[in-house]
Structures are given as structure tokens and as C-alpha cells.
Amino acid sequence: RSGLRGRGGAGFPTGIKWETAARAAGAKKYIVCNADEGDSGTFADRVLMEGDPFTLIEGMIIAGVAVGATQGYIYIRSEYPHAVRSMAKAIDLARSAGLLGPHIADSRYAFDIEVRVGAGAYICGEETSMLESIEGKRGQVRAKPPLPVLSGLFGRPTVINNLLSLASVLFILSEGSKAYADFGWGRSRGTMPIQLAGNVKQGGIFECAFGITLGELVYEIGGGTSE
């Protein structure tokens, strides 16, 4: 109902992916966060992992409970050493607080998270290449089908989401699906962090609703060109 879609580029509806994984048969299921972020000029994933890693951890826990997964992996590029350390420390804190492990928050649900660091290969931003890398193999694109949601990591049902998709889950569950869907335009609901860099007066990361124009981004948010 929120209209949340993948934020990695394909825009596939997150709810449909989770529902498919929940119905898939498998003794073990996985949640994988693609935080490779290899495109030039992008840094939203890095900023969130360094500044508020628990948003991602909680989103992954919710995804795990929703689809019946017990293990999560966060795939981070090696060029993000501070993000790797922040996520590792946050996972340790969450585990010590009882929010990760065999009985999360004293419930019947089990879920844990590991950080996997890639060697910086751009191709591993593609989801099946990323799975190959997590499994310890050379990062190469897999043929589809089967889809990862049915046969992904180690041949098990696997939900692969962009970091920004998983980080949006908390707001949706806290404020309701309508509150999230009220932002956006057309089929693109919700918000997206916009990264501005280069020849603009006000660079940085800004969260905007879908539907904003490039001119508004550059001249109203970025303050126009710096020269």
C-alpha cells in the first residue's frame, strides 16, 4: 500500500518481492542489502551507514521476520572503511541488546546480520554478481531464471534490496503506509535522497519527494552554480 519500490534503479515493488520470498519453499532464507554504491558521485548509502546504521539494521530485521529469513548480509565496497566499521560496531551493539541472534527482542524469531566487504569491483553492484562475491566466488553475472528471490544466495530464497529501500521500512511501519504514499508522483511514491556535488553552491545530500524537477534540484536546493 505504501508503494515502496526498489531504490537501486529497477524500481521493482518491494512488497511483491517480499511476498514472493515469504511464499517460497526453503529451509533457510536470506536478506541481502546491496550497499555497493559504485556509481560516480553517489554517497547516500555511505552517509546513512556512517550516521544512522541502526535504521538499516532494523529494516533488515523487519524484512527477515516478514519473509521468514534468519540471516542477513550487508555487502559494502572496500572503499568505505568508515562505513564498514560503523556497521560492524552497530551490529555488535544490536546483538548485545538482544535485537539480533536466536531470539530477537525475546521473541520466537531468529535473525542475525554479517557485513561482507567487496574488493571494489563495479560489476558486483549487480545483484547476482554480488551473490557470487558473498559466496566467495569471482563476481560474475548469473543467468536468470532462476530469480534470486526463489534461488539466490547458496541456492536459497533471497531478498535483495537496496539500502535505501530497507531504510524506508521503519517510517512506513511507524507512520503508516498512507503517510509514505502521500509523498511522490505517479507510480513513484515516497522520497529519495538526492546527492548534489560538483559545480553547485550547496552540495550535500537532500531528501526529496519523487516528482521534483532537475531545475528545482540545482537552483532551489543546490543554490545554482557556484560560479
Side-chain angles (χ1 to χ4, degrees):
R1 289 194 297 268
S2 70
L4 178 64
R5 291 174 175 267
R7 297 291 184 247
F12 190 83
T14 304
I16 293 176
K17 181 181 287 188
W18 288 18
E19 188 174 38
T20 303
R23 292 178 177 177
K28 190 174 182 66
K29 301 178 183 180
Y30 297 99
I31 305 294
V32 175
C33 172
N34 187 345
D36 191 61
E37 196 171 46
D39 292 324
S40 299
T42 56
F43 50 90
D45 290 1
R46 177 180 62 80
V47 168
L48 194 143
M49 286 189 288
E50 292 176 2
D52 189 7
F54 296 105
T55 300
L56 173 58
I57 291 172
E58 292 181 48
M60 291 183 69
I61 294 170
I62 292 167
V65 171
V67 308
T70 56
Q71 179 66 44
Y73 291 95
I74 305 172
Y75 189 83
I76 309 174
R77 57 196 300 104
S78 59
E79 293 91 338
Y80 283 177
H82 298 301
V84 170
R85 287 194 292 268
S86 294
M87 286 306 317
K89 178 64 174 178
I91 289 170
D92 287 342
L93 290 171
R95 193 177 291 124
S96 65
L99 297 176
L100 292 173
H103 298 285
I104 54 175
D106 296 323
S107 71
R108 62 184 177 88
Y109 298 105
F111 191 76
D112 212 338
I113 298 175
E114 290 183 27
V115 171
R116 291 292 175 92
V117 181
Y122 181 76
I123 194 173
C124 289
E126 192 276 332
E127 61 179 14
T128 61
S129 297
M130 178 185 63
L131 295 181
E132 292 285 290
S133 180
I134 293 174
E135 292 179 2
K137 305 172 186 174
R138 182 192 296 264
Q140 293 181 315
V141 177
R142 293 180 182 177
K144 298 179 185 178
L147 296 173
V149 73
L150 300 176
S151 179
L153 191 63
F154 305 115
R156 306 287 190 175
T158 304
V159 169
I160 304 171
N161 280 134
N162 180 268
L163 184 150
L164 302 174
S165 304
L166 291 162
S168 301
V169 172
L170 273 69
F171 179 87
I172 295 168
L173 265 65
S174 173
E175 306 300 324
S177 57
K178 185 180 183 302
Y180 187 82
D182 281 346
F183 293 96
W185 181 85
R187 293 169 57 193
S188 299
R189 311 314 308 172
T191 64
M192 184 73 176
I194 304 298
Q195 299 122 120
L196 292 182
N199 188 29
V200 290
K201 291 181 179 178
Q202 299 165 181
I205 184 169
F206 306 89
E207 186 176 11
C208 307
F210 282 99
I212 192 169
T213 67
L214 184 59
E216 289 171 330
L217 281 174
V218 173
Y219 292 103
E220 294 183 20
I221 295 178
T225 58
S226 60
E227 297 178 358

